[in-house]
Amino acid sequence: MKFIALLISLFLLSSCASLRPATYTGNTSLVGYKYAYITPTSGLSSSSGGVYGNEFGIYDTTVSKSINPSDVISGILMKNGYILLPEIEDNIRDRTVIVNYGETGRRNILGGLFGYTIEVTIQILSADTHEVLCTCTAEGQGETEADDIRIAITRALAMVFPD
């Protein structure tokens, strides 16, 4: 019975790792910007799994997920009223932002015993002047790396577009 209680406790602890607070640095307001160009990113596929057994046999499960960070960023920008451009157009450059994405870190939770978080940073620039309008950074932790990145992007952009 103690063993089962220990397993349940470890499971609960692993599912509630504390993420660092998201950060936001803004130099200029995004008011007046209507268009966005997102620097292309490549996709990532990740998976997680486990092996379970009981008196009836041994079973394995695998969860595979993929993500393209620019797709997640696109959805959030569209939801917030931006028109996405496939390239920067000269006649609307003064109302266009450039959005850059990067992974900026990985942090082990309790020495890696409970997995890790992935940190991302999103930078938003003026397409006209290339001035940094804002930068936001956040961590994410989920079942797979794809989940980690999706959560981190969502948390970071929530600093720019609070609901």
Side-chain angles (χ1 to χ4, degrees):
M1 189 66 175
K2 288 181 182 180
F3 180 71
I4 292 172
L6 178 65
L7 285 177
I8 291 171
S9 296
L10 287 174
F11 176 74
L12 292 174
L13 282 173
S14 70
S15 63
C16 58
S18 179
L19 298 175
R20 291 183 179 149
T23 61
Y24 172 86
T25 305
N27 300 327
T28 309
S29 170
L30 295 179
V31 173
Y33 292 96
K34 182 177 178 179
Y35 304 96
Y37 171 77
I38 302 170
T39 305
T41 60
S42 58
L44 165 85
S45 294
S46 61
S47 61
S48 67
V51 177
Y52 309 95
N54 61 24
E55 64 271 11
F56 301 111
I58 297 175
Y59 308 94
D60 66 344
T61 62
T62 304
V63 175
S64 295
K65 296 181 181 178
S66 62
I67 187 171
N68 187 327
S70 62
D71 290 345
V72 177
I73 294 167
S74 295
I76 293 170
L77 289 175
M78 286 188 291
K79 184 177 178 182
N80 284 281
Y82 283 83
I83 298 168
L84 302 182
L85 303 173
E87 61 185 37
I88 298 171
E89 299 176 16
D90 286 336
N91 60 331
I92 55 174
R93 186 180 290 270
D94 61 333
R95 293 178 286 151
T96 303
V97 294
I98 300 170
V99 182
N100 296 320
Y101 161 88
E103 288 184 32
T104 51
R106 191 177 289 242
R107 181 172 62 94
N108 288 329
I109 304 297
L110 292 176
L113 183 62
F114 294 118
Y116 55 88
T117 65
I118 293 179
E119 179 186 82
V120 304
T121 298
I122 297 171
Q123 180 186 65
I124 301 178
L125 310 171
S126 164
D128 197 26
T129 64
H130 292 194
E131 172 190 6
V132 176
L133 302 174
C134 67
T135 302
C136 50
T137 300
E139 288 183 327
Q141 183 184 31
E143 188 176 359
T144 65
E145 283 190 4
D147 292 332
D148 297 351
I149 291 169
R150 182 180 312 280
I151 292 165
I153 290 170
T154 302
R155 289 184 69 231
L157 287 176
M159 300 298 292
V160 180
F161 306 110
D163 287 337

